[in-house]
PDB file of all heavy atoms in Angstrom:
ATOM      1  N   MET A   9      83.795  97.286 121.125  1.00 87.00           N
ATOM      2  CA  MET A   9      84.434  98.090 120.097  1.00 87.00           C
ATOM      3  C   MET A   9      85.201  97.166 119.172  1.00 87.00           C
ATOM      4  O   MET A   9      86.019  96.360 119.617  1.00 87.00           O
ATOM      5  CB  MET A   9      85.384  99.130 120.681  1.00 87.00           C
ATOM      6  CG  MET A   9      86.014 100.026 119.621  1.00 87.00           C
ATOM      7  SD  MET A   9      87.106 101.272 120.297  1.00 87.00           S
ATOM      8  CE  MET A   9      88.431 100.260 120.899  1.00 87.00           C
ATOM      9  N   MET A  10      84.911  97.250 117.886  1.00 87.00           N
ATOM     10  CA  MET A  10      85.583  96.450 116.883  1.00 87.00           C
ATOM     11  C   MET A  10      86.172  97.368 115.831  1.00 87.00           C
ATOM     12  O   MET A  10      85.542  98.337 115.411  1.00 87.00           O
ATOM     13  CB  MET A  10      84.600  95.471 116.237  1.00 87.00           C
ATOM     14  CG  MET A  10      85.225  94.531 115.204  1.00 87.00           C
ATOM     15  SD  MET A  10      85.267  95.218 113.524  1.00 87.00           S
ATOM     16  CE  MET A  10      83.548  95.092 113.064  1.00 87.00           C
ATOM     17  N   THR A  11      87.398  97.088 115.421  1.00 91.00           N
ATOM     18  CA  THR A  11      87.997  97.806 114.311  1.00 91.00           C
ATOM     19  C   THR A  11      88.503  96.813 113.279  1.00 91.00           C
ATOM     20  O   THR A  11      88.880  95.683 113.606  1.00 91.00           O
ATOM     21  CB  THR A  11      89.167  98.705 114.747  1.00 91.00           C
ATOM     22  OG1 THR A  11      90.176  97.891 115.353  1.00 91.00           O
ATOM     23  CG2 THR A  11      88.714  99.771 115.717  1.00 91.00           C
ATOM     24  N   LEU A  12      88.546  97.238 112.042  1.00 94.00           N
ATOM     25  CA  LEU A  12      89.119  96.456 110.954  1.00 94.00           C
ATOM     26  C   LEU A  12      89.929  97.407 110.094  1.00 94.00           C
ATOM     27  O   LEU A  12      89.423  98.441 109.646  1.00 94.00           O
ATOM     28  CB  LEU A  12      88.016  95.805 110.116  1.00 94.00           C
ATOM     29  CG  LEU A  12      88.497  95.027 108.896  1.00 94.00           C
ATOM     30  CD1 LEU A  12      89.266  93.793 109.330  1.00 94.00           C
ATOM     31  CD2 LEU A  12      87.332  94.633 108.003  1.00 94.00           C
ATOM     32  N   ALA A  13      91.206  97.080 109.868  1.00 96.00           N
ATOM     33  CA  ALA A  13      92.098  97.954 109.110  1.00 96.00           C
ATOM     34  C   ALA A  13      92.496  97.293 107.796  1.00 96.00           C
ATOM     35  O   ALA A  13      92.854  96.113 107.767  1.00 96.00           O
ATOM     36  CB  ALA A  13      93.340  98.282 109.922  1.00 96.00           C
ATOM     37  N   LEU A  14      92.432  98.069 106.715  1.00 97.00           N
ATOM     38  CA  LEU A  14      92.956  97.673 105.412  1.00 97.00           C
ATOM     39  C   LEU A  14      94.189  98.527 105.156  1.00 97.00           C
ATOM     40  O   LEU A  14      94.097  99.764 105.121  1.00 97.00           O
ATOM     41  CB  LEU A  14      91.912  97.903 104.318  1.00 97.00           C
ATOM     42  CG  LEU A  14      90.526  97.279 104.533  1.00 97.00           C
ATOM     43  CD1 LEU A  14      89.598  97.641 103.383  1.00 97.00           C
ATOM     44  CD2 LEU A  14      90.630  95.771 104.679  1.00 97.00           C
ATOM     45  N   ASN A  15      95.353  97.877 104.979  1.00 98.00           N
ATOM     46  CA  ASN A  15      96.620  98.607 104.973  1.00 98.00           C
ATOM     47  C   ASN A  15      97.490  98.204 103.773  1.00 98.00           C
ATOM     48  O   ASN A  15      98.380  97.366 103.887  1.00 98.00           O
ATOM     49  CB  ASN A  15      97.348  98.333 106.291  1.00 98.00           C
ATOM     50  CG  ASN A  15      98.591  99.180 106.516  1.00 98.00           C
ATOM     51  OD1 ASN A  15      99.308  98.936 107.473  1.00 98.00           O
ATOM     52  ND2 ASN A  15      98.867 100.151 105.672  1.00 98.00           N
ATOM     53  N   PRO A  16      97.242  98.789 102.577  1.00 98.00           N
ATOM     54  CA  PRO A  16      98.147  98.550 101.444  1.00 98.00           C
ATOM     55  C   PRO A  16      99.439  99.336 101.627  1.00 98.00           C
ATOM     56  O   PRO A  16      99.452 100.396 102.261  1.00 98.00           O
ATOM     57  CB  PRO A  16      97.346  99.062 100.246  1.00 98.00           C
ATOM     58  CG  PRO A  16      96.444 100.102 100.823  1.00 98.00           C
ATOM     59  CD  PRO A  16      96.105  99.648 102.220  1.00 98.00           C
ATOM     60  N   SER A  17     100.539  98.818 101.061  1.00 98.00           N
ATOM     61  CA  SER A  17     101.835  99.471 101.261  1.00 98.00           C
ATOM     62  C   SER A  17     102.747  99.213 100.069  1.00 98.00           C
ATOM     63  O   SER A  17     102.553  98.281  99.286  1.00 98.00           O
ATOM     64  CB  SER A  17     102.505  98.968 102.545  1.00 98.00           C
ATOM     65  OG  SER A  17     102.695  97.557 102.496  1.00 98.00           O
ATOM     66  N   LEU A  18     103.787 100.047  99.946  1.00 98.00           N
ATOM     67  CA  LEU A  18     104.841  99.893  98.959  1.00 98.00           C
ATOM     68  C   LEU A  18     106.191  99.977  99.655  1.00 98.00           C
ATOM     69  O   LEU A  18     106.353 100.737 100.632  1.00 98.00           O
ATOM     70  CB  LEU A  18     104.762 100.992  97.892  1.00 98.00           C
ATOM     71  CG  LEU A  18     103.631 100.894  96.861  1.00 98.00           C
ATOM     72  CD1 LEU A  18     103.612 102.148  95.993  1.00 98.00           C
ATOM     73  CD2 LEU A  18     103.790  99.645  95.989  1.00 98.00           C
ATOM     74  N   ALA A  19     107.153  99.188  99.167  1.00 98.00           N
ATOM     75  CA  ALA A  19     108.500  99.205  99.728  1.00 98.00           C
ATOM     76  C   ALA A  19     109.522  99.351  98.612  1.00 98.00           C
ATOM     77  O   ALA A  19     109.353  98.795  97.511  1.00 98.00           O
ATOM     78  CB  ALA A  19     108.768  97.932 100.519  1.00 98.00           C
ATOM     79  N   LEU A  20     110.573 100.090  98.883  1.00 98.00           N
ATOM     80  CA  LEU A  20     111.646 100.329  97.921  1.00 98.00           C
ATOM     81  C   LEU A  20     112.962  99.863  98.524  1.00 98.00           C
ATOM     82  O   LEU A  20     113.338 100.299  99.621  1.00 98.00           O
ATOM     83  CB  LEU A  20     111.732 101.820  97.587  1.00 98.00           C
ATOM     84  CG  LEU A  20     112.852 102.236  96.628  1.00 98.00           C
ATOM     85  CD1 LEU A  20     112.607 101.660  95.235  1.00 98.00           C
ATOM     86  CD2 LEU A  20     112.963 103.761  96.568  1.00 98.00           C
ATOM     87  N   ARG A  21     113.640  98.970  97.815  1.00 97.00           N
ATOM     88  CA  ARG A  21     114.952  98.514  98.257  1.00 97.00           C
ATOM     89  C   ARG A  21     115.989  99.466  97.665  1.00 97.00           C
ATOM     90  O   ARG A  21     116.320  99.394  96.465  1.00 97.00           O
ATOM     91  CB  ARG A  21     115.204  97.082  97.808  1.00 97.00           C
ATOM     92  CG  ARG A  21     116.437  96.477  98.436  1.00 97.00           C
ATOM     93  CD  ARG A  21     116.277  94.984  98.612  1.00 97.00           C
ATOM     94  NE  ARG A  21     117.344  94.434  99.415  1.00 97.00           N
ATOM     95  CZ  ARG A  21     117.304  93.256  99.996  1.00 97.00           C
ATOM     96  NH1 ARG A  21     116.211  92.511  99.882  1.00 97.00           N
ATOM     97  NH2 ARG A  21     118.307  92.799 100.709  1.00 97.00           N
ATOM     98  N   VAL A  22     116.473 100.384  98.478  1.00 97.00           N
ATOM     99  CA  VAL A  22     117.394 101.420  98.003  1.00 97.00           C
ATOM    100  C   VAL A  22     118.723 100.807  97.595  1.00 97.00           C
ATOM    101  O   VAL A  22     119.286 101.114  96.533  1.00 97.00           O
ATOM    102  CB  VAL A  22     117.596 102.494  99.090  1.00 97.00           C
ATOM    103  CG1 VAL A  22     118.569 103.565  98.624  1.00 97.00           C
ATOM    104  CG2 VAL A  22     116.257 103.115  99.474  1.00 97.00           C
ATOM    105  N   ASN A  23     119.256  99.927  98.432  1.00 95.00           N
ATOM    106  CA  ASN A  23     120.481  99.178  98.137  1.00 95.00           C
ATOM    107  C   ASN A  23     120.491  97.929  99.009  1.00 95.00           C
ATOM    108  O   ASN A  23     119.470  97.613  99.649  1.00 95.00           O
ATOM    109  CB  ASN A  23     121.738 100.050  98.362  1.00 95.00           C
ATOM    110  CG  ASN A  23     121.762 100.681  99.754  1.00 95.00           C
ATOM    111  OD1 ASN A  23     121.484 100.020 100.744  1.00 95.00           O
ATOM    112  ND2 ASN A  23     122.092 101.975  99.802  1.00 95.00           N
ATOM    113  N   ASP A  24     121.601  97.224  99.060  1.00 92.00           N
ATOM    114  CA  ASP A  24     121.658  95.982  99.830  1.00 92.00           C
ATOM    115  C   ASP A  24     121.489  96.210 101.322  1.00 92.00           C
ATOM    116  O   ASP A  24     121.137  95.286 102.057  1.00 92.00           O
ATOM    117  CB  ASP A  24     122.989  95.264  99.577  1.00 92.00           C
ATOM    118  CG  ASP A  24     123.068  94.691  98.174  1.00 92.00           C
ATOM    119  OD1 ASP A  24     121.997  94.545  97.550  1.00 92.00           O
ATOM    120  OD2 ASP A  24     124.190  94.410  97.721  1.00 92.00           O
ATOM    121  N   GLN A  25     121.749  97.426 101.795  1.00 96.00           N
ATOM    122  CA  GLN A  25     121.661  97.699 103.229  1.00 96.00           C
ATOM    123  C   GLN A  25     120.372  98.413 103.655  1.00 96.00           C
ATOM    124  O   GLN A  25     119.963  98.307 104.810  1.00 96.00           O
ATOM    125  CB  GLN A  25     122.859  98.567 103.679  1.00 96.00           C
ATOM    126  CG  GLN A  25     124.193  97.848 103.718  1.00 96.00           C
ATOM    127  CD  GLN A  25     124.782  97.684 102.339  1.00 96.00           C
ATOM    128  OE1 GLN A  25     124.733  98.598 101.520  1.00 96.00           O
ATOM    129  NE2 GLN A  25     125.358  96.514 102.071  1.00 96.00           N
ATOM    130  N   LEU A  26     119.735  99.130 102.752  1.00 97.00           N
ATOM    131  CA  LEU A  26     118.648 100.021 103.163  1.00 97.00           C
ATOM    132  C   LEU A  26     117.377  99.779 102.357  1.00 97.00           C
ATOM    133  O   LEU A  26     117.414  99.692 101.127  1.00 97.00           O
ATOM    134  CB  LEU A  26     119.097 101.482 102.983  1.00 97.00           C
ATOM    135  CG  LEU A  26     118.116 102.561 103.433  1.00 97.00           C
ATOM    136  CD1 LEU A  26     117.930 102.527 104.948  1.00 97.00           C
ATOM    137  CD2 LEU A  26     118.603 103.945 102.988  1.00 97.00           C
ATOM    138  N   SER A  27     116.241  99.689 103.080  1.00 98.00           N
ATOM    139  CA  SER A  27     114.923  99.602 102.456  1.00 98.00           C
ATOM    140  C   SER A  27     113.976 100.530 103.187  1.00 98.00           C
ATOM    141  O   SER A  27     114.054 100.690 104.409  1.00 98.00           O
ATOM    142  CB  SER A  27     114.388  98.171 102.503  1.00 98.00           C
ATOM    143  OG  SER A  27     115.200  97.297 101.758  1.00 98.00           O
ATOM    144  N   VAL A  28     113.060 101.142 102.427  1.00 98.00           N
ATOM    145  CA  VAL A  28     112.083 102.050 103.017  1.00 98.00           C
ATOM    146  C   VAL A  28     110.695 101.658 102.525  1.00 98.00           C
ATOM    147  O   VAL A  28     110.535 101.029 101.467  1.00 98.00           O
ATOM    148  CB  VAL A  28     112.375 103.525 102.659  1.00 98.00           C
ATOM    149  CG1 VAL A  28     113.696 103.981 103.242  1.00 98.00           C
ATOM    150  CG2 VAL A  28     112.359 103.718 101.143  1.00 98.00           C
ATOM    151  N   GLY A  29     109.686 102.023 103.298  1.00 98.00           N
ATOM    152  CA  GLY A  29     108.329 101.684 102.910  1.00 98.00           C
ATOM    153  C   GLY A  29     107.319 102.659 103.482  1.00 98.00           C
ATOM    154  O   GLY A  29     107.594 103.361 104.456  1.00 98.00           O
ATOM    155  N   MET A  30     106.158 102.691 102.846  1.00 98.00           N
ATOM    156  CA  MET A  30     105.061 103.494 103.374  1.00 98.00           C
ATOM    157  C   MET A  30     103.749 102.808 103.030  1.00 98.00           C
ATOM    158  O   MET A  30     103.640 102.070 102.054  1.00 98.00           O
ATOM    159  CB  MET A  30     105.077 104.918 102.823  1.00 98.00           C
ATOM    160  CG  MET A  30     104.681 105.064 101.380  1.00 98.00           C
ATOM    161  SD  MET A  30     104.383 106.801 100.924  1.00 98.00           S
ATOM    162  CE  MET A  30     102.959 107.166 101.966  1.00 98.00           C
ATOM    163  N   GLY A  31     102.738 103.056 103.873  1.00 98.00           N
ATOM    164  CA  GLY A  31     101.433 102.462 103.648  1.00 98.00           C
ATOM    165  C   GLY A  31     100.324 103.430 104.001  1.00 98.00           C
ATOM    166  O   GLY A  31     100.541 104.421 104.718  1.00 98.00           O
ATOM    167  N   LEU A  32      99.148 103.150 103.492  1.00 98.00           N
ATOM    168  CA  LEU A  32      97.947 103.903 103.824  1.00 98.00           C
ATOM    169  C   LEU A  32      96.982 102.968 104.549  1.00 98.00           C
ATOM    170  O   LEU A  32      96.901 101.782 104.222  1.00 98.00           O
ATOM    171  CB  LEU A  32      97.297 104.463 102.558  1.00 98.00           C
ATOM    172  CG  LEU A  32      98.142 105.422 101.731  1.00 98.00           C
ATOM    173  CD1 LEU A  32      97.411 105.803 100.449  1.00 98.00           C
ATOM    174  CD2 LEU A  32      98.491 106.671 102.541  1.00 98.00           C
ATOM    175  N   THR A  33      96.243 103.507 105.499  1.00 97.00           N
ATOM    176  CA  THR A  33      95.333 102.696 106.298  1.00 97.00           C
ATOM    177  C   THR A  33      93.926 103.244 106.216  1.00 97.00           C
ATOM    178  O   THR A  33      93.696 104.435 106.463  1.00 97.00           O
ATOM    179  CB  THR A  33      95.771 102.666 107.776  1.00 97.00           C
ATOM    180  OG1 THR A  33      97.106 102.174 107.877  1.00 97.00           O
ATOM    181  CG2 THR A  33      94.848 101.763 108.592  1.00 97.00           C
ATOM    182  N   ALA A  34      92.984 102.373 105.873  1.00 97.00           N
ATOM    183  CA  ALA A  34      91.557 102.680 105.973  1.00 97.00           C
ATOM    184  C   ALA A  34      91.014 101.839 107.121  1.00 97.00           C
ATOM    185  O   ALA A  34      91.106 100.614 107.101  1.00 97.00           O
ATOM    186  CB  ALA A  34      90.836 102.347 104.673  1.00 97.00           C
ATOM    187  N   GLN A  35      90.487 102.496 108.139  1.00 96.00           N
ATOM    188  CA  GLN A  35      90.083 101.807 109.372  1.00 96.00           C
ATOM    189  C   GLN A  35      88.591 101.982 109.641  1.00 96.00           C
ATOM    190  O   GLN A  35      88.098 103.106 109.731  1.00 96.00           O
ATOM    191  CB  GLN A  35      90.891 102.349 110.546  1.00 96.00           C
ATOM    192  CG  GLN A  35      90.577 101.695 111.889  1.00 96.00           C
ATOM    193  CD  GLN A  35      91.557 102.121 112.948  1.00 96.00           C
ATOM    194  OE1 GLN A  35      92.686 101.638 113.002  1.00 96.00           O
ATOM    195  NE2 GLN A  35      91.165 103.049 113.802  1.00 96.00           N
ATOM    196  N   TYR A  36      87.915 100.870 109.763  1.00 96.00           N
ATOM    197  CA  TYR A  36      86.490 100.862 110.103  1.00 96.00           C
ATOM    198  C   TYR A  36      86.344 100.595 111.596  1.00 96.00           C
ATOM    199  O   TYR A  36      86.990  99.690 112.139  1.00 96.00           O
ATOM    200  CB  TYR A  36      85.760  99.791 109.308  1.00 96.00           C
ATOM    201  CG  TYR A  36      84.317  99.599 109.700  1.00 96.00           C
ATOM    202  CD1 TYR A  36      83.339 100.516 109.317  1.00 96.00           C
ATOM    203  CD2 TYR A  36      83.933  98.494 110.461  1.00 96.00           C
ATOM    204  CE1 TYR A  36      82.014 100.338 109.674  1.00 96.00           C
ATOM    205  CE2 TYR A  36      82.606  98.309 110.812  1.00 96.00           C
ATOM    206  CZ  TYR A  36      81.645  99.228 110.430  1.00 96.00           C
ATOM    207  OH  TYR A  36      80.337  99.049 110.786  1.00 96.00           O
ATOM    208  N   MET A  37      85.523 101.381 112.259  1.00 94.00           N
ATOM    209  CA  MET A  37      85.273 101.190 113.691  1.00 94.00           C
ATOM    210  C   MET A  37      83.775 101.129 113.943  1.00 94.00           C
ATOM    211  O   MET A  37      83.014 101.931 113.409  1.00 94.00           O
ATOM    212  CB  MET A  37      85.904 102.316 114.515  1.00 94.00           C
ATOM    213  CG  MET A  37      85.704 102.167 116.020  1.00 94.00           C
ATOM    214  SD  MET A  37      86.509 103.487 117.003  1.00 94.00           S
ATOM    215  CE  MET A  37      88.238 103.049 116.791  1.00 94.00           C
ATOM    216  N   ASN A  38      83.376 100.172 114.757  1.00 93.00           N
ATOM    217  CA  ASN A  38      81.980  99.995 115.149  1.00 93.00           C
ATOM    218  C   ASN A  38      81.964  99.816 116.659  1.00 93.00           C
ATOM    219  O   ASN A  38      82.648  98.941 117.188  1.00 93.00           O
ATOM    220  CB  ASN A  38      81.401  98.763 114.445  1.00 93.00           C
ATOM    221  CG  ASN A  38      79.901  98.653 114.605  1.00 93.00           C
ATOM    222  OD1 ASN A  38      79.353  99.037 115.625  1.00 93.00           O
ATOM    223  ND2 ASN A  38      79.233  98.107 113.601  1.00 93.00           N
ATOM    224  N   ALA A  39      81.210 100.646 117.370  1.00 91.00           N
ATOM    225  CA  ALA A  39      81.238 100.615 118.829  1.00 91.00           C
ATOM    226  C   ALA A  39      79.830 100.659 119.397  1.00 91.00           C
ATOM    227  O   ALA A  39      78.913 101.250 118.807  1.00 91.00           O
ATOM    228  CB  ALA A  39      82.049 101.795 119.378  1.00 91.00           C
ATOM    229  N   ALA A  40      79.667 100.011 120.545  1.00 92.00           N
ATOM    230  CA  ALA A  40      78.406 100.046 121.276  1.00 92.00           C
ATOM    231  C   ALA A  40      78.725 100.183 122.763  1.00 92.00           C
ATOM    232  O   ALA A  40      79.635  99.528 123.272  1.00 92.00           O
ATOM    233  CB  ALA A  40      77.589  98.781 121.033  1.00 92.00           C
ATOM    234  N   TYR A  41      77.991 101.051 123.431  1.00 90.00           N
ATOM    235  CA  TYR A  41      78.214 101.317 124.862  1.00 90.00           C
ATOM    236  C   TYR A  41      76.858 101.375 125.553  1.00 90.00           C
ATOM    237  O   TYR A  41      75.919 101.989 125.046  1.00 90.00           O
ATOM    238  CB  TYR A  41      78.949 102.649 125.033  1.00 90.00           C
ATOM    239  CG  TYR A  41      79.063 103.135 126.460  1.00 90.00           C
ATOM    240  CD1 TYR A  41      79.931 102.520 127.355  1.00 90.00           C
ATOM    241  CD2 TYR A  41      78.300 104.210 126.907  1.00 90.00           C
ATOM    242  CE1 TYR A  41      80.036 102.972 128.666  1.00 90.00           C
ATOM    243  CE2 TYR A  41      78.399 104.672 128.210  1.00 90.00           C
ATOM    244  CZ  TYR A  41      79.269 104.048 129.080  1.00 90.00           C
ATOM    245  OH  TYR A  41      79.374 104.475 130.373  1.00 90.00           O
ATOM    246  N   GLN A  42      76.774 100.732 126.713  1.00 92.00           N
ATOM    247  CA  GLN A  42      75.527 100.764 127.472  1.00 92.00           C
ATOM    248  C   GLN A  42      75.812 100.920 128.953  1.00 92.00           C
ATOM    249  O   GLN A  42      76.760 100.343 129.480  1.00 92.00           O
ATOM    250  CB  GLN A  42      74.723  99.477 127.241  1.00 92.00           C
ATOM    251  CG  GLN A  42      73.404  99.436 128.028  1.00 92.00           C
ATOM    252  CD  GLN A  42      72.553  98.229 127.671  1.00 92.00           C
ATOM    253  OE1 GLN A  42      72.136  98.082 126.528  1.00 92.00           O
ATOM    254  NE2 GLN A  42      72.306  97.362 128.651  1.00 92.00           N
TER     255      GLN A  42
END
């Protein structure tokens, strides 16, 4: 089982003490079972 994730993100520095962020993930999975 192999996966590959592409994860772009954005971050906002609210002030000197606080930062927040969010990202989206596109994940490819390829699996083989025998």
Side-chain angles (χ1 to χ4, degrees):
M9 183 179 68
M10 183 272 286
T11 60
L12 177 68
L14 307 178
N15 188 187
S17 59
L18 287 173
L20 178 67
R21 190 149 190 163
V22 179
N23 53 45
D24 290 342
Q25 288 78 42
L26 183 67
S27 296
V28 296
M30 72 168 296
L32 299 175
T33 303
Q35 181 171 282
Y36 173 75
M37 181 178 289
N38 190 327
Y41 172 73
Q42 179 174 298

